[in-house]
Amino acid sequence: MLQPIDSLNILLPILYCLVFAAYLYDFFNEKKFVNNSKRIILFVTLFLHLFYLISRTIEFDHPPITSKFEIFSIIAFSISFSYFILELLTDIRGTGAFIILFSLVFQIASSLFIEHNFVVPEVLRNRLLGLHVINALLGYSGITISAVYGLLFILLFKNLKANKFGLIFNRLPSLEILEKLSFYSAVIGFILLTAAIIIGIIWLPNAFPNFSYFDPKLIGTFFVWIVYGIGILRKLLGNFYGKKVIVFSLIGFVFAIMSLIVTNTLGKTFHSFY
Amino acid sequence: MNLVGISINHKTSPLELREALHLNHDEIVTFIPRLKESLFSEGVVISTCNRTEIFGFPKINEFNLSPIINELIQFKPVNGIQQEHFLKFFSCGAVRHIFSVASGIDSMIIGDSQILGQVKESFEISEDLDFAGTALRKIFDTAIKTGKRAIKETKIGEGAVTVSYAAVQVVEKIFSNLDKKSALVIGSGETGELAAVNLRDKNIGKLAVSNRTMERAEKLAEKVHGEIVPFQFLKEQLHNFDIIISATSSDNYIISFENIRSALKRRKNSPVVLMDIAVPRDIDPDVKKIENVFYHDMDSLKIIVDQNLQKRKDQVPLVQKIIIDEMIGFYGWLNTLDVVPTIKTMRSFFEEIRNDELEKIKNKVSKEDFLKIEDMTRRMMGRILHNPTVKLREFAETGANIKEVAAHTMILKELFNLGEVPLNGNEFNEDEHKEDRVNEKE
């Protein structure tokens, strides 16, 4: 089983590179053939990536969450997978390059530095932990996609205000659609993050004797959850639309990134598995 | 092929002359019998706001086209019109021009979508008046096919090329579903009307019209099934609309910065699109400083129009390729007009020999044997003539070398002493042609 895992480890960055190139080419040139085939290439890549992650889980007898670079691979998968679902639901195909780029970067980093971890702490073999981490990662993927659409919204907004009618104007969907994509991604991210928090609250006190509700990672995640919760609620109540929604999503994303950096580097946490 | 034609269009004459010479449907119907009587055996008259053109097969083989121009000027006298205002076309050039017109690359606005329908309509008038034969029908069928291919296979008709349509294109970049939006068109002149019609075509949810003269507002509102906002209450109603398009002839701003600021407040800052397509402008351009206000005027919309026109120009070589492609097909068909009578005469010649010989033995063999011999000779003839028939048609249909087609036809005629066969395309019968193909397959 190691042979196919190693082969896929090399193949995946190449495939993501191909998907990114196809989406980027289509963004600039709008060719019918590329427009139809890029989704197929993305599907094949995701299928192989899923096979790779399952293979690792079976081969090493633990979910691939035991090192930063295993996590990176899951992030790469979850970003592209979330985008794929969004593209299928909305049939808006012009924005893929901006999202797939993130998957490409994460997968390259993962493939370069990933190691075969046969021996890991027993806690990392727990299925609930796997579910908790995957939900959290998919949630963060959702808010990342939301932020990308937010940035695209701001770009188009500025182009329209400045009477610039170039590539951005011609190839991006309308402001309203970008706002919807950003909002829906944020909602999906928020729901998954909620699930991760609930699983965490139930399972963490049993798994870690030194568990504390004042753990910096827990507090950081909770604040991110609160920021998105307020934004989503206000939008649903009708107080928020247009640029305000986008600005809120971007603030939420910056807050999430800052929280991750601070809690992973500065604070002391029980919540570190590797 | 002796197709000839004349054309006065936007490249050769000013608008006043083109307008004055324009023939409406009734005038064309009256004019065609005159052409039929004096000049053409068959023909077509195309007349739009940008061109008047006459094409046809002359009764006599004369390449002086002045009589056609004179006939037109006599029918519709126009001051200042001269022979120099007309382009003249012969044979292949005439076919190419008709194909170019139908595909929109000869239009004033390249890729104009209306011209194809106008060409089709013009040909239908000729057909109704029994002024169109097989060759002309084939030319116009191919022209219409060329136009359709140009639209389908290239981007010649894509993008907004009028300011009114560009305004709608920008609106679509801001709002996704226009059926849930409300729009107000201020001014019911030509530009305002066009904008209102474009919005209606895009299924705008609610459309209202406002104009200083109530009568004109009512007329436009009726046309686009819209509501009316009385001009004196205009400023109090602005907050009710997501899209405001203004195209009046007012000398001063009719909507100020303050009007929009207060309207936006009442809208709770919900985005609003303002399209000022009036010259001089109707809306204070400072409104673009307000967040969630998208303001565009003529200058900015002209950028889109120019970009799209350039994109259409870039598509012209692709359309020209389609035209060449269709011309090759057309001339291939035309060449078969010469070949088909030869094939028919050759087959008749052999059929006569077979019948003669069968007649000679009819009484010398039994009835059963005669039927067998008749069947055998028929099949034998079919096999003997199959290859020459197919080859000759292939030569003709590829249309690559007319001389080669003529040489083969000539050899065939001389070898079998087939004599003269009619070569006039006008006498060609499409049904017989089809029958030949069926026979050949059998």
Side-chain angles (χ1 to χ4, degrees), chain A residues 29-30 156-157 159-161 163 165-166 168-177 180 239 241-244, chain B residues 169-170 172-177 181 267-270 288 290-296 300 303-304 307 311:
Chain A
N29 298 296
E30 208 182 353
L156 182 59
F157 185 93
N159 271 259
L160 281 164
K161 287 286 265 183
N163 293 332
F165 304 109
I168 297 289
F169 174 81
N170 287 320
R171 299 292 288 123
L172 286 185
S174 70
L175 285 178
E176 243 179 26
I177 287 177
K180 271 182 195 165
N239 297 333
Y241 27 66
K243 208 176 166 188
K244 269 189 187 171
Chain B
Q169 198 186 335
V170 173
E172 283 185 312
K173 274 289 159 187
I174 296 161
F175 301 126
S176 57
N177 289 326
K181 302 294 170 193
R267 287 172 62 78
K268 293 178 184 169
N269 260 334
S270 174
K288 67 178 132 187
I290 306 171
E291 186 84 3
N292 281 341
V293 170
F294 296 94
Y295 169 85
H296 297 276
S300 61
I303 297 170
I304 297 178
Q307 278 177 357
K311 276 184 201 165

Side-chain angles (χ1 to χ4, degrees), chain B residues 255-284:
Chain B
I255 297 173
S256 67
F257 181 88
E258 273 312 313
N259 294 148
I260 295 299
R261 199 159 66 171
S262 66
L264 216 71
K265 252 185 199 167
R266 293 178 75 179
R267 287 172 62 78
K268 293 178 184 169
N269 260 334
S270 174
V272 64
V273 182
L274 304 173
M275 295 289 172
D276 190 348
I277 47 178
V279 178
R281 290 184 286 195
D282 286 341
I283 305 170
D284 183 351

Side-chain angles (χ1 to χ4, degrees), chain B residues 160 164-172 175-181 194-207 243:
Chain B
S164 303
Y165 197 69
V168 176
Q169 198 186 335
V170 173
V171 167
E172 283 185 312
F175 301 126
S176 57
N177 289 326
L178 290 190
D179 54 348
K180 287 176 186 156
K181 302 294 170 193
L194 205 59
V197 169
N198 281 331
L199 283 168
R200 172 55 64 222
D201 289 347
K202 292 281 178 185
N203 290 325
I204 188 83
K206 181 183 150 192
L207 183 58
I243 302 152

